[in-house]
Amino acid sequence: MTDEPIRPAATVVLWREGSAGPQVLMGQRGEGAVFMPSKFVFPGGRVDPEDHAAARPGFLSSDCARRLMLMVPNDAPAAEVLVAAALRELTEETGLNLASMEHPSLRFIFRAITPPGRTRRFDARFLLAHADSLDGDGNDFAAASGELQHLRWLPLPEARALDLPFITEVVLAEVAALVAGGDQPGVPFFDNSGTTPQFRRIL
């Protein structure tokens, strides 16, 4: 049996200040989903062909765009294409839209490649955005596709107590540090592209 191909993917981690501290937007995958059934995740998914024609410049700093293109295969999608995929998935799965802002509103904070042997494999880039960057009401999920159930804003401790994929747990820990004012010594990268898992930092 040949292993699943690794598909490029992008995810938006939306956060805001709540009455009890920072909150993130998450939803639950359906129990019949092929990949990570019933797990709570951030909105996101694989890059589709249409995303290449809908590249979205202006959402990333030059540093984030540069880091998105490091340690990638020759056929990797451009940074703006990854942004297009992330924003499309956000809109499809939550009904929310990230507005074009005067300043870059997305920050590349994490990358992970799914280990071999899984039903699906992704090279996922996680992009952090504040809810202030949304175009409209961040509590209005009326236009969501239904792919993610139980969409809601969760305080970080509550989110970390849910049934999460391992990588989502790690990303949440990174988000907690960043929104508390911490910085990153490079973007963490869980590289499972080969037979031996490697942890890297994208500088």
Side-chain angles (χ1 to χ4, degrees):
M1 176 179 131
T2 56
D3 201 38
E4 273 287 312
I6 299 172
R7 300 175 171 91
T11 294
V12 176
V13 183
L14 271 179
W15 77 281
R16 70 184 186 186
E17 288 293 345
S19 57
Q23 301 175 331
V24 288
L25 180 63
M26 302 189 79
Q28 186 179 30
R29 293 181 59 79
E31 61 181 19
V34 175
F35 187 68
M36 298 191 296
S38 302
K39 297 286 188 181
F40 278 85
V41 296
F42 307 112
R46 73 180 186 186
V47 175
D48 284 349
E50 68 204 64
D51 299 319
H52 291 268
R56 302 287 295 274
F59 284 87
L60 295 167
S61 70
S62 57
D63 235 19
C64 284
R66 177 185 62 79
R67 287 172 173 165
L68 279 167
M69 294 294 93
L70 295 178
M71 303 182 198
V72 298
N74 292 334
D75 61 350
E80 292 81 7
V81 174
L82 291 165
V83 169
L87 297 186
R88 175 184 52 75
E89 290 282 346
L90 175 69
T91 300
E92 288 176 2
E93 295 184 349
T94 70
L96 304 178
N97 290 286
L98 215 59
S100 294
M101 308 287 284
E102 190 175 328
H103 304 291
S105 53
L106 286 171
R107 178 177 176 180
F108 176 36
I109 63 161
F110 203 89
R111 181 178 169 197
I113 295 177
T114 313
R118 306 297 171 87
T119 54
R120 297 282 187 276
R121 295 187 72 195
F122 298 102
D123 185 347
R125 285 78 160 185
F126 293 80
L127 306 171
L128 183 68
H130 194 280
D132 284 351
S133 305
L134 289 171
D135 182 12
D137 182 1
N139 296 307
D140 182 5
F141 307 125
S145 65
E147 185 176 342
L148 290 182
Q149 304 159 13
H150 310 299
L151 278 166
R152 60 187 187 271
W153 292 94
L154 293 159
L156 286 172
E158 191 176 327
R160 295 173 77 173
L162 295 171
D163 184 11
L164 304 171
F166 166 71
I167 284 298
T168 306
E169 292 181 31
V170 180
V171 173
L172 276 170
E174 201 72 20
V175 169
L178 288 171
V179 302
D183 207 356
Q184 291 178 314
V187 175
F189 176 21
F190 280 62
D191 185 357
N192 290 294
S193 56
T195 53
T196 304
Q198 297 188 64
F199 176 75
R200 308 175 184 271
R201 285 199 181 270
I202 305 172
L203 301 173

